[in-house]
Amino acid sequence: MITAELGKTKLDSGWLAARSTEVQLTGTQLTTTHPPIGPSSPWMEAVVPGTVLATLVKNKIVPDPFYGLENETIIDIADSGREYYTFWFFTSFHCKLSGAQHLDLNFRAINYSADVYLNGHKMELPKGMFRRHSLDVTDILHPNGPNMLAVLVHPPDHPGSIPPKGGQGGDHEIGKDVATQYVEGWDWIAPIRDRNTGIWDEVSVSITGPVKIIDPHLVSSFFDNYKRLTAELEGNICLVEHLQTRNVSIPAKSRVKYTFPELFFYKPNLWWPNGMGKQYLYNVVITVDVKGYGESDSWSHHFGFRKIESYIDCATGGRLFKVNGQPIFIRGGNWILSDGLLRLSKKRYQTDIKFHADMNFNMIRCWGGGLSERPDFYYYCDYYGILVWQEFWITGDVDGRGDPVSNPDGPLDHALFLLCARDTVKLLRNHPSLAIWVGGNEQVPPDDINAALKKDLSLHPYFESLDGIRKREESPEKDPSQYLDGTRIYIQGSMWDGFADGKGDFTDGPYEIQNPEDFFKDDFYKYGFNPEVGSVGMPVAATIRVTMPPEGWQIPLFKKLPDGYIEEVPNPIWEYHKYIPYSKPGKVHDQIQLYGNPKDLDDFCLKAQLVNYIQYRALLEGWTCRMWRKYTGVLIWKTQNPWTGLRGQFYDHLLDQTAGFYGCRCAAEPIHVQLNLSTYFIEVVNTTAEELSNIAIEASVWDLEGTCPYYKVYENLSVPPKTVVHTIEMKYPKSKKPKPVYFLLLKLYNMSDDGILSRNFYWLHLSGGDYKLLEQYRKKQIPLKFTSNVLIEGANYEIQVQVQNTSKKPDSRRFTYKNSFTAEQGDSGFDMDLMEPAVHRGTNEKYEASLFQRIYRRILGDNDTLRVTEINGDDVGVAFFLNFSVHASKTNHKEGEDTRILPVHYSDNYFSLVPGESMSVKISFEVPAGVTPRVTLHGWNYPGGHSVH
């Protein structure tokens, strides 16, 4: 029962669905005399928000299209006709209004059009996937009984067909509609059979009084060049900063646009991107009271004080972004959407965005062939500090090129496109994370649309920049809130105006495996900002087993070509799931075979993780080493897959991370020490606004015998803010008798307290060599010690595990043993699960254990005890490529059953420890009801796995 209280109520449960051709009733009959009674044929439980295909999968009417080749067994809309995917959706609700209250029925998005029936009355939701609909249903409401709602949803008008060879956007017919374009298939996804038809976003009802609030626009500007601002709170104080009331007259049955006079904030706490500071958010509440009636409507939104500027950098030719006056080096990724069946949820969005923050990324590009992302997506980008590049629904493949050549004039209905674009701007413009609007992917919108967007999204003078110099206007013509946006720039396309070559030529990419050292070479990429550069993305073996039948577990055939290069030939299921090989004949030797021929799926996927880590760390380190000198930013294609794809991802569709995730996390640290793989110089990266002084670098080389043939410390270094310093050339392996395979550990630390600022571990081989000697290294039995404790709050677990390599220390005087490394994670200022234990820097095991215990007594209380687990071994050396996973403890699980608990957040994973070194890893996850979790460690030297908690 919806009470008479003001506000919004979601209609997100109790929905039924049925194919329209199987329902012999009209919408009037369904919502008056003949409503469906429960999920009995042809009616079934519906997924709302979601799509027709999501509903069919839920009810097992069709198989899971993401499993194996099952998508090929589902009829495509091109073959079935649009009526096959035209569906009824039905629900009911109770609501009783009082006095002069009004009720609006809201659809935040449908695809593609719909007929709505409420209590026998028909209304229409016009075409367009990216527009909101609000219907005043006050006069047709049943106050004393159920209100029956039926929605007949029609697919896009031009769903198109899939050519035999597939391709980017199928036959491109979908581009004639204002809808997602990826649904006809791409080189990273198979076709979506219903073209995402459905009620794919939130449905709600809203109760208001006689006056309601529509689309407020919040704008902040800084008037004193940031001189009176602070980024820190003074104590834990929460205040009502401003309370302002204004009287407004509104004629009957009319709309009035009203602007509040400027509010002045003294030293507000600013919103910063990830890695630059905290993400302070204020809750803005606007309430309307009507004389003689009382409160009529209320609206609230989180808001962050920040200013985003962007211009083309003179030094690099790349687009440069500034936030609150500080330049930000962009390191991020491309995004399509969470799920190809649009099973979108706040919980999934939180995991997605936190994963990006965990990788130390600071920008997500919402690609033009996907979605205008939802407010929940943006909320978590606000929350975790991820800037968003939001594109409109134009892609070059579907709007001007491709095979067959597509229509360059965009959708048939240009007015509809602009209506959807303007509505999207109003929906998203108050989010501080939103950084830039872009007309399309590798294409610009048609001339008339582009001109209209440029005008609609022009900047208010307060926010204009000219080569980084802010324009000052004494008395602008109108205040910023009167603009459609006015606070962030519009760029016509992803390869224009400071991106790629800036002229629209096809100059993004490449999209396949690279030699890691090539990323560091000046000729790898010519332009200042690459919006798309991609590579491999093989998941772990457990994901393959749970998403494919046994015939999909066969690893590729390695076919040797006459020129000595290897061509990988994947099985048909991998090929269907868009597998991208780990070799590029003629340029890149197979990076998996560098470790020896893989024996089976587990071996292949483990070696793929080694390559994933190296590949993506090198990519970001290569770009970062030329920060501001050549580049202003890079976006990786892409961070994840909206289905069970096998390329371009840092975590799979089941939410398990690849090792590439942690390669990125390492490389994108705000303060970072790295090895230039081309020059072999050690570099220190400082992307923060503070100078690093009195710091030191420790470089130690470890061989496969467990000895340390090279050790150097470079002291009294300083690094200016926003700078990369090329420090010292590594003399190893130029020294006598270098080992063919060796490990390098770099640490950057404060000399004042030995605190570690950055740690980076490499495995390397001599030029022209390989890693095959690591195969024998698997037999090494390296002893480990785990000290762990757990904090449980309901279903949420947080486990802290300190891992120590307890093999014999060859020289305890060396400085490396003074440092026990604890990975630190940025704190958003809001999320309690980001709470970090103090960094501990022990000089001996007893000190480490006692301090670790003191930390957890503060968290858990004096009665909690630590658990200590050990793995015995007689060998000395590096504990290589350790990775944790979390499983459900089951004594009678079936063979091949996936016991993983997902998602899990790790402060670090896929890490290695030299003799005597220790690291503390935080593991956070939610456990299903009735399940006991078990934390397991695997590693190169530990193939069988060991339970550590």
Side-chain angles (χ1 to χ4, degrees):
M1 176 69 180
I2 300 170
T3 66
E5 295 181 2
L6 299 179
K8 181 179 77 173
T9 301
K10 294 180 184 178
L11 302 181
D12 56 2
S13 61
W15 286 87
L16 300 173
R19 183 170 283 113
S20 63
T21 55
E22 298 176 2
V23 176
Q24 308 305 317
L25 298 168
T26 66
T28 300
Q29 291 172 315
L30 288 172
T31 57
T32 53
T33 57
H34 292 80
I37 310 294
S40 58
S41 182
W43 295 92
M44 65 194 84
E45 293 182 1
V47 178
V48 176
T51 62
V52 168
L53 192 54
T55 290
L56 294 174
V57 171
K58 174 184 174 68
N59 290 275
K60 296 182 170 39
I61 306 299
V62 299
D64 182 355
F66 297 169
Y67 182 84
L69 299 177
E70 296 292 356
N71 193 50
E72 290 297 286
T73 69
I74 302 173
I75 189 169
D76 192 83
I77 193 171
D79 301 313
S80 66
R82 294 174 66 247
E83 293 78 9
Y84 187 80
Y85 287 108
T86 300
F87 263 62
W88 282 106
F89 291 86
F90 178 90
T91 192
S92 63
F93 61 93
H94 290 75
C95 181
K96 187 172 184 178
L97 303 179
S98 64
Q101 287 183 331
H102 290 250
L103 187 76
D104 287 343
L105 174 61
N106 309 302
F107 295 84
R108 204 161 63 186
I110 56 100
N111 188 29
Y112 184 61
S113 62
D115 302 317
V116 177
Y117 294 83
L118 181 64
N119 298 334
H121 296 263
K122 182 181 178 181
M123 298 158 282
E124 291 186 0
L125 302 184
K127 298 174 182 178
M129 185 173 179
F130 303 108
R131 62 187 296 185
R132 293 170 294 168
H133 308 271
S134 185
L135 307 170
D136 188 335
V137 296
T138 307
D139 294 338
I140 58 177
L141 201 64
H142 288 167
N144 298 314
N147 293 279
M148 290 181 282
L149 172 64
V151 185
L152 181 64
V153 179
H154 303 280
D157 291 348
H158 302 88
S161 61
I162 314 303
K165 293 183 180 180
Q168 314 295 73
D171 65 359
H172 312 131
E173 282 291 295
I174 195 69
K176 294 180 179 179
D177 297 329
V178 183
T180 51
Q181 297 186 354
Y182 80 94
V183 290
E184 283 197 62
W186 224 268
D187 60 5
W188 45 267
I189 195 168
I192 304 296
R193 300 306 187 188
D194 69 344
R195 308 295 189 263
N196 282 161
T197 300
I199 306 173
W200 69 274
D201 198 8
E202 175 186 287
V203 183
S204 66
V205 291
S206 301
I207 296 177
T208 68
V211 175
K212 61 184 175 184
I213 301 167
I214 301 175
D215 293 331
H217 188 192
L218 307 177
V219 177
S220 64
S221 61
F222 302 142
F223 62 90
D224 62 352
N225 200 26
Y226 314 101
K227 292 178 181 177
R228 298 172 66 188
L229 298 171
T230 180
E232 298 296 330
L233 283 171
E234 296 179 0
N236 295 320
I237 301 172
C238 181
L239 298 174
V240 177
E241 294 280 353
H242 285 277
L243 183 62
Q244 191 172 100
T245 303
R246 287 291 184 272
N247 294 321
V248 182
S249 296
I250 304 175
K253 297 182 179 180
S254 66
R255 291 190 177 201
V256 171
K257 184 182 290 187
Y258 179 78
T259 302
F260 271 92
E262 288 182 298
L263 302 174
F264 290 90
F265 289 75
Y266 177 70
K267 289 189 174 182
N269 299 294
L270 301 184
W271 183 94
W272 292 95
N274 187 36
M276 294 182 70
K278 295 183 178 181
Q279 292 77 48
Y280 286 104
L281 295 172
Y282 289 76
N283 191 32
V284 177
V285 180
I286 302 173
T287 301
V288 172
D289 286 351
V290 175
K291 186 176 181 180
Y293 177 83
E295 185 175 329
S296 180
D297 198 7
S298 183
W299 178 91
S300 65
H301 202 285
H302 284 99
F303 182 75
F305 287 100
R306 65 96 182 94
K307 185 174 183 179
I308 291 180
E309 300 168 271
S310 182
Y311 55 91
I312 297 176
D313 177 50
C314 295
T316 64
R319 182 153 290 278
L320 187 145
F321 290 86
K322 284 186 174 181
V323 179
N324 303 331
Q326 295 289 330
I328 176 172
F329 188 69
I330 298 298
R331 291 175 292 189
N334 285 265
W335 168 273
I336 314 302
L337 67 162
S338 279
D339 179 70
L341 304 189
L342 302 187
R343 295 167 293 196
L344 310 178
S345 71
K346 194 169 185 177
K347 188 174 183 179
R348 173 86 185 207
Y349 275 137
Q350 181 178 20
T351 298
D352 281 319
I353 306 309
K354 189 175 188 305
F355 275 175
H356 286 74
D358 287 348
M359 285 188 284
N360 291 312
F361 283 177
N362 52 31
M363 180 176 277
I364 289 176
R365 173 192 173 208
C366 292
W367 176 74
L371 295 182
S372 295
E373 268 302 351
R374 302 296 88 197
D376 287 340
F377 170 94
Y378 271 93
Y379 169 75
Y380 285 111
C381 288
D382 296 343
Y383 191 88
Y384 290 114
I386 307 296
L387 297 170
V388 184
W389 158 336
Q390 180 67 65
E391 279 177 10
F392 295 109
W393 320 285
I394 296 289
T395 59
D397 295 279
V398 177
D399 298 291
R401 64 167 192 262
D403 183 13
V405 176
S406 54
N407 172 27
D409 199 34
L412 296 179
D413 190 337
H414 289 198
L416 174 59
F417 186 100
L418 288 170
L419 185 153
C420 290
R422 290 162 183 151
D423 195 59
T424 297
V425 173
K426 293 175 183 178
L427 177 68
L428 302 176
R429 63 189 176 186
N430 293 317
H431 288 278
S433 57
L434 178 55
I436 183 175
W437 301 105
V438 178
N441 164 64
E442 299 173 348
Q443 182 61 290
V444 299
D447 290 345
D448 58 327
I449 292 178
N450 196 34
L453 289 174
K454 284 182 178 180
K455 180 180 179 182
D456 287 346
L457 296 173
S458 61
L459 290 173
H460 187 277
Y462 284 166
F463 301 93
E464 290 181 357
S465 294
L466 182 61
D467 294 330
I469 302 172
R470 289 178 300 280
K471 290 183 177 180
R472 296 186 178 276
E473 295 279 345
E474 294 297 328
S475 53
E477 295 181 3
K478 54 183 178 179
D479 67 80
S481 68
Q482 298 298 308
Y483 281 57
L484 181 63
D485 185 337
T487 68
R488 47 181 73 83
I489 62 167
Y490 167 76
I491 298 295
Q492 59 186 340
S494 67
M495 299 190 299
W496 279 259
D497 304 319
F499 299 123
D501 74 348
K503 302 174 184 177
D505 297 317
F506 196 77
T507 48
D508 46 13
Y511 299 93
E512 61 274 314
I513 193 77
Q514 303 293 321
N515 294 307
E517 62 272 16
D518 289 350
F519 290 115
F520 294 84
K521 296 176 180 177
D522 279 334
D523 62 354
F524 181 75
Y525 188 72
K526 297 179 181 180
Y527 310 105
F529 193 120
N530 193 341
E532 295 183 16
V533 56
S535 192
V536 292
M538 191 67 189
V540 298
T543 292
I544 296 297
R545 288 194 174 95
V546 78
T547 58
M548 297 180 185
E551 54 268 31
W553 304 354
Q554 301 302 311
I555 64 175
L557 299 175
F558 294 89
K559 181 181 177 182
K560 192 168 185 178
L561 303 178
D563 60 2
Y565 284 89
I566 295 293
E567 178 186 358
E568 291 186 17
V569 183
N571 69 64
I573 299 179
W574 284 27
E575 192 168 16
Y576 190 80
H577 286 255
K578 313 297 184 178
Y579 173 76
I580 188 170
Y582 283 71
S583 64
K584 185 178 181 182
K587 182 179 179 182
V588 182
H589 285 288
D590 193 281
Q591 298 293 289
I592 287 179
Q593 282 215 326
L594 289 179
Y595 298 89
N597 291 324
K599 299 184 292 292
D600 52 26
L601 180 65
D602 291 286
D603 194 31
F604 182 92
C605 289
L606 177 59
K607 289 172 177 173
Q609 300 318 310
L610 290 162
V611 182
N612 291 344
Y613 193 104
I614 289 177
Q615 183 78 178
Y616 287 109
R617 178 178 60 181
L619 189 160
L620 285 182
E621 287 183 342
W623 244 270
T624 303
C625 79
R626 294 186 295 279
M627 178 176 69
W628 313 133
R629 179 167 59 88
K630 185 175 180 181
Y631 299 134
T632 59
V634 61
L635 299 175
I636 298 174
W637 183 266
K638 49 194 175 21
T639 58
Q640 46 74 247
N641 272 300
W643 77 309
T644 50
L646 300 180
R647 66 166 61 194
Q649 60 186 356
F650 299 126
Y651 58 94
D652 59 45
H653 193 249
L654 305 181
L655 299 176
D656 200 355
Q657 300 102 329
T658 73
F661 183 107
Y662 296 97
C664 286
R665 177 180 173 82
C666 172
E669 293 174 305
I671 298 171
H672 183 61
V673 61
Q674 65 185 42
L675 178 69
N676 187 308
L677 296 179
S678 177
T679 66
Y680 260 62
F681 270 76
I682 298 173
E683 301 167 337
V684 179
V685 177
N686 180 14
T687 63
T688 75
E690 303 295 328
E691 181 179 6
L692 301 177
S693 58
N694 196 30
I695 60 173
I697 297 172
E698 175 194 84
S700 58
V701 171
W702 301 82
D703 60 26
L704 300 185
E705 286 71 45
T707 62
C708 183
Y710 179 90
Y711 180 84
K712 294 290 183 182
V713 175
Y714 308 94
E715 298 183 322
N716 300 313
L717 304 175
S718 62
V719 182
K722 310 287 184 181
T723 304
V724 178
V725 172
H726 310 270
T727 57
I728 306 99
E729 184 181 9
M730 273 287 296
K731 298 303 181 183
Y732 196 96
K734 294 182 179 180
S735 56
K736 295 181 180 179
K737 297 182 180 179
K739 301 299 176 71
V741 175
Y742 59 95
F743 304 113
L744 170 65
L745 175 61
L746 299 178
K747 289 184 180 179
L748 181 71
Y749 62 90
N750 280 317
M751 295 183 64
S752 59
D753 62 0
D754 299 342
I756 296 174
L757 300 171
S758 174
R759 176 189 183 276
N760 204 347
F761 182 89
Y762 296 84
W763 51 102
L764 301 163
H765 61 72
L766 297 182
S767 179
D770 55 41
Y771 293 114
K772 289 186 175 66
L773 287 175
L774 285 174
E775 193 67 40
Q776 292 299 316
Y777 193 70
R778 284 182 166 185
K779 298 177 182 178
K780 286 269 190 177
Q781 299 295 314
I782 310 297
L784 291 176
K785 179 181 178 181
F786 305 92
T787 309
S788 59
N789 214 326
V790 60
L791 172 65
I792 305 173
E793 293 184 359
N796 296 308
Y797 279 64
E798 182 174 302
I799 298 177
Q800 197 86 13
V801 182
Q802 186 191 38
V803 190
Q804 184 176 16
N805 179 342
T806 57
S807 62
K808 184 180 178 182
K809 308 171 186 178
D811 185 351
S812 60
R813 293 171 297 173
R814 283 185 172 155
F815 190 82
T816 184
Y817 305 116
K818 292 176 66 179
N819 291 274
S820 294
F821 180 74
T822 299
E824 291 191 86
Q825 201 167 314
D827 187 351
S828 69
F830 288 87
D831 196 352
M832 288 302 294
D833 73 10
L834 293 179
M835 181 176 63
E836 291 289 340
V839 177
H840 57 284
R841 307 176 181 97
T843 56
N844 55 60
E845 294 177 19
K846 182 178 180 182
Y847 175 80
E848 291 166 2
S850 63
L851 181 53
F852 191 77
Q853 192 159 5
R854 289 203 303 274
I855 292 167
Y856 271 86
R857 280 179 177 166
R858 286 202 303 271
I859 297 174
L860 300 172
D862 290 335
N863 294 327
D864 292 282
T865 57
L866 299 173
R867 175 175 173 177
V868 178
T869 306
E870 295 191 53
I871 298 176
N872 296 321
D874 298 324
D875 292 318
V876 176
V878 171
F880 183 52
F881 214 53
L882 306 174
N883 70 285
F884 289 110
S885 56
V886 182
H887 299 261
S889 291
K890 292 185 176 181
T891 56
N892 58 345
H893 71 272
K894 301 175 184 177
E895 185 178 355
E897 181 182 359
D898 187 14
T899 62
R900 287 175 298 172
I901 293 174
L902 297 170
V904 181
H905 297 276
Y906 303 93
S907 62
D908 206 351
N909 218 355
Y910 293 99
F911 59 94
S912 303
L913 297 175
V914 303
E917 191 181 24
S918 64
M919 178 183 291
S920 184
V921 177
K922 188 179 76 172
I923 305 172
S924 305
F925 52 92
E926 182 179 338
V927 173
V931 170
T932 301
R934 171 174 50 89
V935 177
T936 299
L937 179 127
H938 286 81
W940 192 255
N941 311 97
Y942 315 92
H946 294 268
S947 179
V948 300
H949 204 287

